[in-house]
Amino acid sequence: MKKTRNRKLKTVPDSTWRYRTMLTLVSVCFLALVGRSAYLQVLNPKDLAEAGDSRSVRVKGISSHRGLIVDRNGVELARSVPIESLWIDPKTLLKDKKVFETSAWQGFAEALGRDANELATWVQQRASKRFVWLERHLDPNVALYIKRLSIKGLNLKSEYRRYYPSAEVTANLVGFTGVDDKGLEGVEKAFDNYLTGKPGKEKVVVDLYRRVVEERGVLAEAEQGNDLQLSIDSRIQAVAYRELKKTVLSHNAKGGSVVVVDVDTGEVLAMASQPSFNPNRSDSRFPAMTRNRAITDLFEPGSTVKPLTIVSALESGKYKPSSTVNTAPGIMKLNGKRVSDPRNYGELDLAGIIKKSSNMGVSRVALSLSDQEFLDSFYKVGFGKSTGLGVQGETKGVLRPRNNWSDIEKATFSFGYGFQVSSIQLAQAYSVLGANGIKRPLTLIKQKGLEQGEQVIAANIAQNVVGMMENVVADGGTGTKARVDGYRVAGKTGTARKVAKTGGYGDEYVTVFAGLVPATDPKLAIVVMVDEPAGDAYYGGTVSAPIFAKVADKALDLMNVAPDAKTIKTIAVGGVSHD
């Protein structure tokens, strides 16, 4: 048996310089990591938290919506409704370019009504961006479809869109907002600061795809917009709009406007325009459709201002209500130009001049007054000045008689030529007469009480002239179609030729009826203007007066105004007259 030799196994010494060096290095590194970890997490965790937050914490806006616009009875005319808008993150979307070849992308493009390839190219051109609006105010069904596609990089954001329940009926007055919820026209623009809310802010944590995974608290509360209550009565507005539209269409007219003013408060109860538009559809907002013709369109008022010439005559002290004027022979020449009546009316009192709408009568009255005496009432009722409604686009009118003007200019001025007014200015003028000579500022905001106003015309003179205007709707007057069953009406018809583009007057007309009802104690001043009615019916008494009657009838009923004990058939002289 062989003997085995005992061999000694080689072992690593427990302590060598290399072993100790390695152990020391490992221990130092470990202690450094522990120290660094303790420093970052215990002693100075702020820097690490900020670094993390910079990648995931965001400040997100809290939406606020515009206030409601309501009529005097609380009926909504404009409100904000929640809606989704689409934005894209091109950088995320382009991480997988194969998405452009999928059926989901094709369906997405078709939902937006776009070409899939063109849309893909559009996205690639914005490869470095992280936020780009693609479509604002999506159809709810389209938004739901896009959400179900789950394409990374497509995001929906909740916004508010303005909705107008009364649509075209109040469109020209209320106006509309843009995609950013800012007022662009009408009341929406005039009271934009009041209606607009203030967005809030909150801190949130988002994931890689910018989805909110945690809310860290509100930084600033959102302030909602203020509600605005207008003086408009949507029921009267609807009647005014309907009757105006019907007349404009039936007479193939260019357009028109209706204004209804509360005589006691100066509140505008209705302001309708034609043509109109649907503010809920941006594709119908053409400038010719969106302007509020009641405050923007100027016209020569024609015979509707003859009562103001009579006011000037009475205030001058040179005339009394019983004074007469000789209009014979029914025609005269001034500075080589003719002023005439349809026939020779002979001797007329002031009431007869208004009833017959005698150009000869008012011309002779005007020529007998000094310029200051004659123009006094025109300035007092507000012609040539803004009414102060505060709505953008309101015109001041044109009331600038020349110095040393000729007799023919002064004469034609007396029956409504040579200056221009708007429907709202004419309504204000008639409201002054209806309020016993008190001028109250007009307003589109509902008032809490009676506005005191300023006495600009003597009360007895205003009352006398209103009484004279009742002749216009009496038998033989020019405005019999303005009668309202059960109520006495005071008013005046007006038919004025429009200035031609080539100079002089053309063959187009503006037809107007302005009136007060009930004449015994006026509550409403109503002005109806129809621009360029076609055909043979182009007089204020045949085109505009019937609208006045229907609007007045409904408005008096809604306001619970008691009928007059007696209605008037004939006052003063009879016979046929002209505007």
mmCIF file of all heavy atoms in Angstrom, residues 161 164 277-286:
data_model
loop_
_atom_site.group_PDB
_atom_site.id
_atom_site.type_symbol
_atom_site.label_atom_id
_atom_site.label_comp_id
_atom_site.label_asym_id
_atom_site.label_seq_id
_atom_site.Cartn_x
_atom_site.Cartn_y
_atom_site.Cartn_z
ATOM 1 N N ARG A 161 -68.450 76.470 -24.768
ATOM 2 C CA ARG A 161 -68.908 77.092 -26.010
ATOM 3 C C ARG A 161 -70.217 77.816 -25.736
ATOM 4 O O ARG A 161 -71.045 77.341 -24.968
ATOM 5 C CB ARG A 161 -69.118 76.027 -27.092
ATOM 6 C CG ARG A 161 -69.617 76.592 -28.414
ATOM 7 C CD ARG A 161 -69.894 75.485 -29.402
ATOM 8 N NE ARG A 161 -70.385 76.016 -30.663
ATOM 9 C CZ ARG A 161 -70.741 75.281 -31.697
ATOM 10 N NH1 ARG A 161 -70.673 73.956 -31.610
ATOM 11 N NH2 ARG A 161 -71.172 75.831 -32.804
ATOM 12 N N TYR A 164 -76.922 79.882 -27.983
ATOM 13 C CA TYR A 164 -77.955 80.918 -28.008
ATOM 14 C C TYR A 164 -79.315 80.280 -28.296
ATOM 15 O O TYR A 164 -79.639 79.952 -29.445
ATOM 16 C CB TYR A 164 -77.622 81.966 -29.083
ATOM 17 C CG TYR A 164 -76.259 82.597 -28.872
ATOM 18 C CD1 TYR A 164 -75.117 82.073 -29.485
ATOM 19 C CD2 TYR A 164 -76.105 83.683 -28.016
ATOM 20 C CE1 TYR A 164 -73.864 82.634 -29.261
ATOM 21 C CE2 TYR A 164 -74.853 84.241 -27.788
ATOM 22 C CZ TYR A 164 -73.739 83.704 -28.414
ATOM 23 O OH TYR A 164 -72.504 84.258 -28.178
ATOM 24 N N PHE A 277 -79.076 86.076 -38.653
ATOM 25 C CA PHE A 277 -78.211 84.911 -38.814
ATOM 26 C C PHE A 277 -78.353 84.030 -37.587
ATOM 27 O O PHE A 277 -78.929 84.434 -36.573
ATOM 28 C CB PHE A 277 -76.746 85.343 -38.972
ATOM 29 C CG PHE A 277 -76.178 85.997 -37.740
ATOM 30 C CD1 PHE A 277 -75.339 85.304 -36.891
ATOM 31 C CD2 PHE A 277 -76.494 87.311 -37.408
ATOM 32 C CE1 PHE A 277 -74.821 85.900 -35.750
ATOM 33 C CE2 PHE A 277 -75.989 87.919 -36.271
ATOM 34 C CZ PHE A 277 -75.152 87.205 -35.440
ATOM 35 N N ASN A 278 -77.834 82.819 -37.686
ATOM 36 C CA ASN A 278 -77.857 81.894 -36.554
ATOM 37 C C ASN A 278 -76.504 81.965 -35.845
ATOM 38 O O ASN A 278 -75.501 81.487 -36.373
ATOM 39 C CB ASN A 278 -78.131 80.468 -37.030
ATOM 40 C CG ASN A 278 -78.304 79.504 -35.869
ATOM 41 O OD1 ASN A 278 -77.998 79.824 -34.716
ATOM 42 N ND2 ASN A 278 -78.794 78.317 -36.157
ATOM 43 N N PRO A 279 -76.437 82.546 -34.661
ATOM 44 C CA PRO A 279 -75.149 82.703 -33.965
ATOM 45 C C PRO A 279 -74.543 81.381 -33.509
ATOM 46 O O PRO A 279 -73.370 81.342 -33.136
ATOM 47 C CB PRO A 279 -75.509 83.588 -32.772
ATOM 48 C CG PRO A 279 -76.950 83.295 -32.518
ATOM 49 C CD PRO A 279 -77.564 83.054 -33.859
ATOM 50 N N ASN A 280 -75.332 80.300 -33.529
ATOM 51 C CA ASN A 280 -74.806 78.993 -33.148
ATOM 52 C C ASN A 280 -73.996 78.348 -34.273
ATOM 53 O O ASN A 280 -73.369 77.312 -34.073
ATOM 54 C CB ASN A 280 -75.953 78.060 -32.751
ATOM 55 C CG ASN A 280 -76.699 78.558 -31.532
ATOM 56 O OD1 ASN A 280 -76.099 78.877 -30.508
ATOM 57 N ND2 ASN A 280 -78.010 78.660 -31.627
ATOM 58 N N ARG A 281 -74.025 78.980 -35.458
ATOM 59 C CA ARG A 281 -73.281 78.460 -36.609
ATOM 60 C C ARG A 281 -72.324 79.537 -37.105
ATOM 61 O O ARG A 281 -72.749 80.589 -37.574
ATOM 62 C CB ARG A 281 -74.230 78.052 -37.734
ATOM 63 C CG ARG A 281 -75.138 76.894 -37.402
ATOM 64 C CD ARG A 281 -75.978 76.510 -38.598
ATOM 65 N NE ARG A 281 -75.150 76.262 -39.789
ATOM 66 C CZ ARG A 281 -75.651 75.975 -40.987
ATOM 67 N NH1 ARG A 281 -76.966 75.901 -41.153
ATOM 68 N NH2 ARG A 281 -74.841 75.766 -42.010
ATOM 69 N N SER A 282 -71.038 79.258 -37.011
ATOM 70 C CA SER A 282 -70.038 80.249 -37.418
ATOM 71 C C SER A 282 -70.039 80.481 -38.920
ATOM 72 O O SER A 282 -69.587 81.531 -39.381
ATOM 73 C CB SER A 282 -68.644 79.802 -36.967
ATOM 74 O OG SER A 282 -68.322 78.536 -37.520
ATOM 75 N N ASP A 283 -70.571 79.531 -39.713
ATOM 76 C CA ASP A 283 -70.556 79.695 -41.161
ATOM 77 C C ASP A 283 -71.631 80.644 -41.669
ATOM 78 O O ASP A 283 -71.717 80.915 -42.867
ATOM 79 C CB ASP A 283 -70.698 78.341 -41.864
ATOM 80 C CG ASP A 283 -71.992 77.617 -41.485
ATOM 81 O OD1 ASP A 283 -72.724 78.119 -40.613
ATOM 82 O OD2 ASP A 283 -72.250 76.538 -42.054
ATOM 83 N N SER A 284 -72.464 81.187 -40.759
ATOM 84 C CA SER A 284 -73.512 82.132 -41.188
ATOM 85 C C SER A 284 -73.215 83.571 -40.746
ATOM 86 O O SER A 284 -74.047 84.451 -40.917
ATOM 87 C CB SER A 284 -74.865 81.700 -40.611
ATOM 88 O OG SER A 284 -74.892 81.868 -39.196
ATOM 89 N N ARG A 285 -72.023 83.789 -40.199
ATOM 90 C CA ARG A 285 -71.701 85.106 -39.633
ATOM 91 C C ARG A 285 -71.038 86.019 -40.661
ATOM 92 O O ARG A 285 -69.863 86.332 -40.586
ATOM 93 C CB ARG A 285 -70.793 84.935 -38.418
ATOM 94 C CG ARG A 285 -71.432 84.138 -37.282
ATOM 95 C CD ARG A 285 -70.407 83.820 -36.201
ATOM 96 N NE ARG A 285 -70.980 83.007 -35.142
ATOM 97 C CZ ARG A 285 -70.270 82.480 -34.140
ATOM 98 N NH1 ARG A 285 -68.952 82.687 -34.095
ATOM 99 N NH2 ARG A 285 -70.847 81.738 -33.225
ATOM 100 N N PHE A 286 -71.823 86.451 -41.634
ATOM 101 C CA PHE A 286 -71.327 87.397 -42.626
ATOM 102 C C PHE A 286 -71.620 88.819 -42.150
ATOM 103 O O PHE A 286 -72.675 89.077 -41.554
ATOM 104 C CB PHE A 286 -71.979 87.140 -43.981
ATOM 105 C CG PHE A 286 -71.769 85.745 -44.493
ATOM 106 C CD1 PHE A 286 -72.807 84.822 -44.522
ATOM 107 C CD2 PHE A 286 -70.518 85.345 -44.938
ATOM 108 C CE1 PHE A 286 -72.607 83.534 -44.984
ATOM 109 C CE2 PHE A 286 -70.306 84.057 -45.409
ATOM 110 C CZ PHE A 286 -71.358 83.146 -45.433
#
